[in-house]
Amino acid sequence: MDEDVSGPGVTTGALARRVGVSPTTLRSWDRRYGLGPQLREGGRHRRWSAQDVARVEAMCRLTAEGIPPAEAARAALASASPASASPAAASPAASASPSPVASAASTGDGARRTAPAGPPADRGAPADRAAPAGAPSPAEARREARGLSRAAVRLDGPAIQRTLDALVERYGVVPAWEQVMVPTLHAVGRRWAESEDRCVEIEHLLSWHVGSSLRRAPRLREEAAGRPPVVAGCVPGELHSLALEALVAALGERAVPVRMLGAAVPAGALEAAVRRTGPCAVVLWSQTRSSANLPLASGLARMTWGVRGARSSAAVAVGGPGWAGRAQAGLLRPGSLGEAVDQLTELSRSRAH
C-alpha cells in the first residue's frame, strides 16, 4: 500500500480503492462537479474528510441507479450542504430524479400498490406481494443498464445487488432479464474483450450477482399443488447455467413447480430425475454446439412411466445457442425466455392432477 492514510482524512488513492473507482475518476469529478476534498496539505496533497467520502459514496450509489453523473453530483453535493439539515433534504435521492428502480425500492408498498394487476392466474398473491409493474420503457431499460454497468466496472457488489433485486421486484424476471441483465452482460463482455486490459473479474462479479438475484426472486405464490414439475438442467459438459436460472425464477413467479439440477448434469442423473419426479417437461440447456446432445434429448422424450394403459411422458424443450440448426421433430424449441415460460406454464396446468 503506497498511499499514506495517516493524519486527517484519507488520500485519493485510499478513497479510490474504497469506492472502486480510479483516482483519475475522482479527480475528474472534482474538476467537473466540484466533488473534491476540502482538505489539502500545502496546496498539493489532497485529503478527503468523512463528509467528502460520504458525498463520493452517494455519487457512486446514484450513478449505479442510472442517474446521469452531473445530476448525481448535484444531489451528492446537496446532501452535505447546510441546507440539507432536514431528513428529506439529507437524502441524495431526494435531490435527484430517481430511476424507476430507485423509486420502487424507496417507496415500498405504496409504489407497488399502484402497479397494474397481473393476469387472473397470478391473482391471489399475498397482500404484501403485488404483481410486477410490467416491462420498462426502452429509455428506462437503457438507463438501468448503464447504471448496472457502472457499478460492475467499479466492482461495487452491494450496488449491483441492490439494483438487480429492485429490477426483479419492480418489473418481474422476464423483463429484467431480457431488457437489462442480458444487454448489460453482453456490453460488459464486449467492452473488455475489445480492450487490452481484459478485466474478467468484472464479468464474473456481475454474473454472480445476477445469479444471486435470480435465485432469490420473490414469488407471487407458492408452488401450485397437484401439478407435475418441470425438470431443468444443463446437458453433460455444459457449465453455463445463468439463462436456465432465469427460466427457473420466471417459472417460480407463475407458481410452476421446478426441479433445477444445475450445470453439467450427467445423462444418467437426468434420466433418474425424470423417472422419480414424473415431470410435465424437461428443459435442456446448451450454450455451445459441442455440448448439444440430440440423442439424450430424444431419449428423454421417449421415456414413459406409469401403469399399462395410462403411461405418461414428458415434453422436452431445448434451449440455448448450442441447439441452433439442430432441433428435431418432437422437441420444443422456444425462441425466447418469455415464450418458454408461457409454454411450460401451459404444460404444467394442462397436466395438473
Side-chain angles (χ1 to χ4, degrees), residues 171-192:
Y171 300 118
V173 171
V174 173
W177 171 258
E178 293 184 336
Q179 298 189 39
V180 181
M181 294 180 186
V182 169
T184 304
L185 286 164
H186 286 172
V188 169
R190 286 194 305 269
R191 174 175 179 176
W192 296 112

Side-chain angles (χ1 to χ4, degrees), residues 268-289:
L270 284 165
E271 293 169 359
V274 170
R275 290 194 192 95
R276 295 180 62 183
T277 63
C280 64
V282 180
V283 182
L284 299 177
W285 181 266
S286 172
Q287 189 75 16
T288 61
R289 287 182 62 84

Side-chain angles (χ1 to χ4, degrees), residues 173 213-215 217-219 244-254:
V173 171
S213 184
L214 292 171
R215 285 188 290 274
R219 292 173 177 266
L244 200 58
E245 292 178 26
L247 174 62
V248 170
L251 289 173
E253 285 186 328
R254 301 280 189 95

Side-chain angles (χ1 to χ4, degrees), residues 129-187:
R129 173 66 182 131
S137 69
E140 290 170 341
R142 287 192 297 270
R143 181 167 55 189
E144 303 304 347
R146 283 196 302 269
L148 190 57
S149 179
R150 290 171 186 150
V153 170
R154 294 199 312 270
L155 297 181
D156 190 343
I160 294 171
Q161 197 65 63
R162 285 195 302 270
T163 300
L164 290 169
D165 289 348
L167 278 169
V168 171
E169 184 161 358
R170 174 66 172 166
Y171 300 118
V173 171
V174 173
W177 171 258
E178 293 184 336
Q179 298 189 39
V180 181
M181 294 180 186
V182 169
T184 304
L185 286 164
H186 286 172

Side-chain angles (χ1 to χ4, degrees), residues 96-135:
S97 300
S99 66
V101 169
S103 300
S106 62
T107 54
D109 291 341
R112 289 194 292 272
R113 280 196 295 270
T114 65
D122 288 338
R123 290 176 185 167
D128 59 348
R129 173 66 182 131

Side-chain angles (χ1 to χ4, degrees), residues 14-342:
L15 178 59
R17 286 190 293 273
R18 173 171 172 172
V19 299
V21 301
S22 69
T24 301
T25 297
L26 291 177
R27 296 185 186 102
S28 174
W29 286 353
D30 186 9
R31 271 194 324 275
R32 294 182 180 183
Y33 313 122
L35 203 70
Q38 303 301 308
L39 300 175
R40 298 174 187 266
E41 295 181 352
R44 187 167 57 88
H45 298 292
R46 304 150 66 88
R47 291 281 180 172
W48 301 74
S49 68
Q51 189 178 46
D52 299 330
V53 172
R55 284 198 293 262
V56 170
E57 289 177 337
M59 176 75 168
C60 292
R61 183 172 62 253
L62 291 168
T63 55
E65 293 172 354
I67 296 175
E71 190 175 347
R74 287 194 296 271
L77 288 168
S79 70
S81 67
S84 64
S86 68
S91 169
S95 304
S97 300
S99 66
V101 169
S103 300
S106 62
T107 54
D109 291 341
R112 289 194 292 272
R113 280 196 295 270
T114 65
D122 288 338
R123 290 176 185 167
D128 59 348
R129 173 66 182 131
S137 69
E140 290 170 341
R142 287 192 297 270
R143 181 167 55 189
E144 303 304 347
R146 283 196 302 269
L148 190 57
S149 179
R150 290 171 186 150
V153 170
R154 294 199 312 270
L155 297 181
D156 190 343
I160 294 171
Q161 197 65 63
R162 285 195 302 270
T163 300
L164 290 169
D165 289 348
L167 278 169
V168 171
E169 184 161 358
R170 174 66 172 166
Y171 300 118
V173 171
V174 173
W177 171 258
E178 293 184 336
Q179 298 189 39
V180 181
M181 294 180 186
V182 169
T184 304
L185 286 164
H186 286 172
V188 169
R190 286 194 305 269
R191 174 175 179 176
W192 296 112
E194 294 169 358
S195 69
E196 295 181 1
D197 182 17
R198 298 193 178 187
C199 299
V200 178
E201 68 276 11
I202 294 175
E203 282 189 84
H204 282 223
L205 181 71
L206 179 59
S207 296
W208 188 90
H209 281 288
V210 167
S212 177
S213 184
L214 292 171
R215 285 188 290 274
R216 63 186 189 187
R219 292 173 177 266
L220 292 178
R221 295 180 295 165
E222 294 302 315
E223 287 187 355
R227 291 188 190 176
V230 173
V231 169
C234 295
V235 295
E238 180 56 72
L239 299 176
H240 297 84
S241 62
L242 202 56
L244 200 58
E245 292 178 26
L247 174 62
V248 170
L251 289 173
E253 285 186 328
R254 301 280 189 95
V256 175
V258 185
R259 303 296 176 260
M260 171 60 158
L261 304 183
V265 186
L270 284 165
E271 293 169 359
V274 170
R275 290 194 192 95
R276 295 180 62 183
T277 63
C280 64
V282 180
V283 182
L284 299 177
W285 181 266
S286 172
Q287 189 75 16
T288 61
R289 287 182 62 84
S290 61
S291 67
N293 190 326
L294 275 176
L296 172 61
S298 299
L300 292 174
R302 290 193 299 267
M303 286 183 63
T304 59
W305 56 87
V307 298
R308 188 183 299 274
R311 306 288 283 176
S312 298
S313 62
V316 175
V318 294
W323 301 100
R326 305 185 66 182
Q328 178 173 313
L331 303 179
L332 300 177
R333 182 74 167 93
S336 66
L337 176 61
E339 184 180 339
V341 172
D342 288 341

